Amino acid sequence: VTQVEDYEVTFNALLVFALPLVVFLLFFVTWENRRIVIQSGAQEVFGNPLEIGTLGAVVLLIAMFHNPSILKFAWSAARWFVAALCLGLIVTSGSRGQLLGGMAAVILVWPLVHRVNSLGRFISLALSIILFISLVGWGIEEFGQKNIRWSEDRISQDISGRFESSVLMLELWAETPWSMVFGLGNSSSFAIIGIYPHNVPAEVLSEEGIIGFLLYASVIALTIRSIVRISRLTTGNASGRRILAILLG
């Protein structure tokens, strides 16, 4: 990638190939308990729901902030239809993290793309965010009814369980100076609690120790510094801001 136009071509290609895949996965495959069923002879193979949810979230970001030059004005309306399909796919896959992450990413980077410099812009931004949140609610209502993961009781239970798992991992991490510095070992959470704790900072600190956590924090800090630098460079470039919003999301 050497120029802004390279990203434009990449996002166009992703829409061309990924959007039909979103439609196919949402309407033309067999789902069983948030997983797609792949028939291999007499054996059934189940797909990874998190990968499918991630696909929906990536296409969602591109749809919301990319403006394909070949569609021009038509895309302003079409993007909402594509967003609804992507949200439906995320909900069907039961990927709550991808849904919350996608929602947060879209809402947080929206002002970066659409600068709020007047009352009219503010009203437009507010209405767009309300429409987007309404789409999320519709997606859960339309595609999440058969999946217990979207029930309030299940969500509350999982949040509590993941908090307890994180606390347990951190308690074990703090037991010895050695484990505090070097951690309990990569992927040790699977041996201790049977699964990863769904809390990346706690997981990195407990498994990789202070050394690993400092490396993790350094990557985040460098990423934030790059975002700030690129944001300054794209202040007067609408196309550049859109690309930054998608990459940031």
Side-chain angles (χ1 to χ4, degrees):
V1 177
T2 58
Q3 54 189 348
V4 170
E5 288 73 17
D6 294 336
Y7 282 108
E8 299 281 353
V9 172
T10 300
F11 294 149
N12 284 337
L14 281 172
L15 283 177
V16 168
F17 289 102
L19 184 53
L21 182 58
V22 168
V23 174
F24 176 75
L25 290 173
L26 189 56
F27 297 110
F28 299 101
V29 301
T30 302
W31 288 84
E32 183 176 323
N33 190 25
R34 71 185 289 238
R35 298 173 182 270
I36 62 171
V37 181
I38 304 170
Q39 197 72 34
S40 178
Q43 184 180 7
E44 289 185 343
V45 180
F46 297 94
N48 187 329
L50 297 181
E51 295 298 335
I52 294 176
T54 301
L55 168 68
V58 169
V59 179
L60 171 67
L61 278 166
I62 296 174
M64 294 305 298
F65 299 119
H66 179 50
N67 277 340
S69 56
I70 56 174
L71 295 179
K72 298 290 185 180
F73 299 106
W75 187 250
S76 297
R79 76 169 78 247
W80 293 102
F81 177 71
V82 175
L85 293 175
C86 293
L87 290 168
L89 182 64
I90 297 172
V91 171
T92 302
S93 70
S95 303
R96 294 175 303 203
Q98 280 77 355
L99 180 66
L100 293 175
M103 282 183 62
V106 169
I107 293 173
L108 290 175
V109 302
W110 207 310
L112 176 65
V113 176
H114 306 284
R115 295 296 174 88
V116 183
N117 50 18
S118 67
L119 178 60
R121 281 291 184 91
F122 176 79
I123 294 174
S124 176
L125 172 64
L127 292 175
S128 296
I129 291 178
I130 291 172
L131 176 57
F132 177 71
I133 294 175
S134 299
L135 272 180
V136 173
W138 169 84
I140 295 175
E141 183 70 23
E142 185 72 17
F143 296 97
Q145 291 297 314
K146 297 181 180 179
N147 195 328
I148 193 174
R149 285 175 60 83
W150 298 105
S151 68
E152 293 183 8
D153 291 341
R154 179 61 183 271
I155 292 174
S156 177
Q157 177 184 343
D158 286 347
I159 290 175
S160 176
R162 291 170 184 182
F163 177 77
E164 292 173 359
S165 297
S166 299
V167 171
L168 174 60
M169 290 296 296
L170 291 174
E171 287 177 346
L172 293 173
W173 162 77
E175 284 185 350
T176 67
W178 177 271
S179 62
M180 290 180 69
V181 175
F182 298 103
L184 299 170
N186 187 49
S187 298
S188 58
S189 57
F190 285 89
I192 297 171
I193 60 176
I195 194 174
Y196 57 97
H198 292 79
N199 182 330
V200 175
E203 182 179 353
V204 172
L205 181 58
S206 61
E207 292 188 354
E208 314 300 340
I210 294 174
I211 294 176
F213 187 81
L214 289 176
L215 291 173
Y216 166 73
S218 298
V219 171
I220 294 176
L222 290 173
T223 301
I224 293 174
R225 187 182 72 171
S226 296
I227 290 170
V228 172
R229 179 174 58 84
I230 296 173
S231 180
R232 290 172 179 168
L233 294 174
T234 58
T235 299
N237 186 336
S239 180
R241 292 200 306 272
R242 291 180 182 277
I243 292 171
L244 176 61
I246 295 171
L247 296 177
L248 178 58

